[in-house]
Amino acid sequence: MPRDTGTALLREVFGFDAFRPGQGEIVDAVAQGRDVLAIMPTGGGKSLCFQLPALMRDGVTLVISPLIALMRDQVRGLQQAGVAAGALTSGNTPEETDAVWAQLAAGELKLLYLAPERLASAGTARMLSRAGISMIAVDEAHCVSQWGHDFRPDYLKIGALRRDLDVPVAAFTATADEETRAEIIARLFADCQPQVFLRGFDRPNIHLAFSAKDKPRQQILEFAKARRGQSGIVYCGTRNKTEALAQAMREDGHAACHYHGGMEADDRRTVEARFSREDGLIVVATVAFGMGVDKPDIRWVAHADLPKSIEAYYQEIGRAGRDGAPAETLTLFGADDIRLRRSQIDEGMAPPERRMADHGRLNALLGLAEALDCRRTVLLRYFGEAAEPCGHCDLCDHPPDVFDGTEAVRKVLSAVLRTGETYGAGYLVDVLTGNLTDKVRQRGHDSLPTFGVGKEFDKRGWTAVIRQMMGRDLLRPDADRHGALVMTDAALPVLRGQDTLCLRRDSISKASAQRMPAVKSMVNEEDAPLLSALKAKRRALSEEARVPAYVIFPDRTLIEMAETRPASLDAMARINGVGAKKLERYGSAFLQVITGADAPPVHPMRRKLAGRVEGSVYDRLMQTQADLTRGTCGTLKPLSCSASILAKVARLKPGDTAGLQRILGDKRQERFGAAFLDVLQDAG
Ligand code: ADP
Ligand code: ZN
């Protein structure tokens, strides 16, 4: 299948000028009918990698996707772009289901979305084998993994379906780790090695930032306040917290709701639907708010509590800014988070090797939280990619104030060891600062040589030192003794004086309090009013069509419109995200907002050619025929060509008189033929 068919469709149907990095190769392989496993970051543009090949190939592409709401949005998006797509899910109205069957029977359907539950019924298998399925695309392929929290037992049936239908499978996921990858290959491809594409993990439009907790509710509220009116997610560690924080958000004047796994399915769906449709809603959620979130224009994600691993962190912040426009994140963390996450791993049911690996993943996240230079470099290094300092994270924005913390760390280790590795951070701080509490006195710890040796910091300072030590896994809470901190082997070199260690000062002293990531506006000042006007138009259109705003146009497309201000439909057609169908549907409406006037009426035939060379050829043919309506001498009987004739000439570009004559007929050929040929030759 030639690449240019792909790029032509990319332009025509989806309105994109170019593939995103990596997409081109994947589209080629899938279009050629290879078995493919593609690992792409969230927002990398996975859906396009099966939607486009589906249009290039004969037959129907079956798409298995885990969530109904997500399928419906994709199907609606495709239909808006003029693609014959349908879904069979329990959420369908009978009419929708009938329409899908009719299109299937007529051989018109190109993409059939199916909920995994349907795979369980024998009827489905029979139906599918008659439906002319020529490829299976599996979205969120990591749902086959029994270890992941997204496990969907019905996904295990895909392997058998692939065998029965004997068609290629293209599987997609954003999950990075080796184990999950191996599991996908084993279960979906029966160990027949598919072609694997591993796309870079960088999401350069997402700003990264961490802050140590210090009045955490206030920190989150301030972050949200600075981004009022933008859609965002706040992830919390517990269900109760989602409710309380959502309430606080509302009191602060935001549109906010909570979401967690303990809610009724209906209530959850309502939140999902509102979030996807409304511009500027904040959802305060547990990680249960995850896969169902396919909204490309989430502008920020905040963590009110530390995620459980670096992979979880990456996936959660990755929900922001899928449309490629700027997005911001803030992750809060504290010693309590570290303790909680460690104990969750230790108390979990997983086998020992798994637990070890989970501690490792948590350590990687803590390393990121306590990083001393560019966070993106640290994050990408974990995923095996080299990177230069990014200039787009909190540490690049404001390099941290660091100091040699070796001495402080040794004092803590000494306190830990001399008290028998039996106490938590609070008690250790009492010993270090010489706080003679009842407990300290009872246990006689006031006579230890370490008692009161830590005058250089206050309670807050030592707490931050201990948190940083936990973050580097020098100290770990003991799973069997609640909260007791024990020394790990990683601390030995420091204890023995073989190694030194830098610590951050700015999370220790109150004076240089946390800096919040600055708010960046999406466009510069003079374009902002136009952008809001375009958004208002989009909101009106989306409410009218009852689809999410981004289905009309994503933020990025509106930003480009506001910045480049296209003055004609041709210029509009060159904006990223404006495909042929959408130009036809919405082009004039948005043009009107930009030019502030009614656009001159354009013949539909001409509109179809907008943005292409053929468009300007058409215009010149039109001009030429207007000049010749009454012949070169200006005295003949008026004669003209219809818009469809002109469009045909512009499209087919006949190179000689005979070809032109076939389109124009004799009379018109005589009047316009020679002049038209000149125009065509001129256009090359
Ligand atoms: P993923 O499933 O990988 O998270 P999506 O398929 O939802 O990502 O795509 C994310 C966003 O990127 C969508 O809004 C999509 O329209 C847009 N997109 C995809 N491919 C391109 C491209 N080649 N050029 C511009 N935008 C694109
Ligand atoms: Zn950076």
Side-chain angles (χ1 to χ4, degrees), residues 147 344-356 358:
W147 290 115
Q344 282 173 342
I345 297 171
D346 287 324
E347 289 155 17
M349 306 294 284
E353 328 79 73
R354 184 88 198 171
R355 268 184 266 168
M356 278 270 286
D358 286 345

Side-chain angles (χ1 to χ4, degrees), residues 382-405:
Y382 177 80
F383 289 122
E385 285 177 39
E388 295 292 310
C390 72
H392 197 45
C393 70
D394 56 342
L395 295 180
C396 281
D397 298 343
H398 308 283
D401 182 8
V402 297
F403 68 101
D404 182 343

Side-chain angles (χ1 to χ4, degrees), residues 11 15 17 557 560-561 564-566 571-579:
R11 184 84 276 267
D17 276 336
T557 299
E560 202 178 321
M561 282 184 199
T564 63
R565 306 190 176 220
M572 182 67 94
R574 281 189 287 273
I575 304 275
N576 253 294
V578 183

Side-chain angles (χ1 to χ4, degrees), residues 149-164:
H149 46 72
D150 295 333
F151 177 53
R152 298 289 291 257
D154 291 318
Y155 261 59
L156 298 176
K157 305 212 164 65
I158 301 173
L161 182 67
R162 163 182 173 275
R163 242 193 353 263
D164 294 345

Side-chain angles (χ1 to χ4, degrees), residues 10 16-20 23 40-48 74 139 294 296 322-323 554 556 576:
L10 182 69
F16 299 141
D17 276 336
F19 285 117
R20 292 240 182 101
Q23 278 181 330
M40 285 174 107
T42 312
K46 285 185 284 294
S47 354
L48 189 90
Q74 281 206 7
D139 205 1
D294 196 27
R322 281 183 179 209
D323 53 5
R556 219 174 137 153
N576 253 294

Side-chain angles (χ1 to χ4, degrees), residues 539-620:
R539 193 174 317 125
L541 289 171
S542 75
E543 277 164 14
E544 194 179 295
R546 314 192 54 180
V547 295
Y550 62 81
V551 168
I552 308 279
F553 284 128
D555 282 357
R556 219 174 137 153
T557 299
L558 296 192
I559 291 170
E560 202 178 321
M561 282 184 199
E563 283 172 345
T564 63
R565 306 190 176 220
S568 66
L569 280 181
D570 288 283
M572 182 67 94
R574 281 189 287 273
I575 304 275
N576 253 294
V578 183
K581 261 273 145 28
K582 289 202 183 168
L583 182 73
E584 194 181 319
R585 267 193 202 142
Y586 308 122
S588 322
F590 284 89
L591 197 58
Q592 195 178 337
V593 174
I594 295 166
T595 60
D598 282 339
V602 174
H603 195 280
M605 281 296 169
R606 171 64 180 85
R607 195 163 51 211
K608 282 215 170 71
L609 302 177
R612 300 201 232 150
V613 189
E614 288 87 340
S616 67
V617 174
Y618 177 105
D619 292 344
R620 288 171 58 198

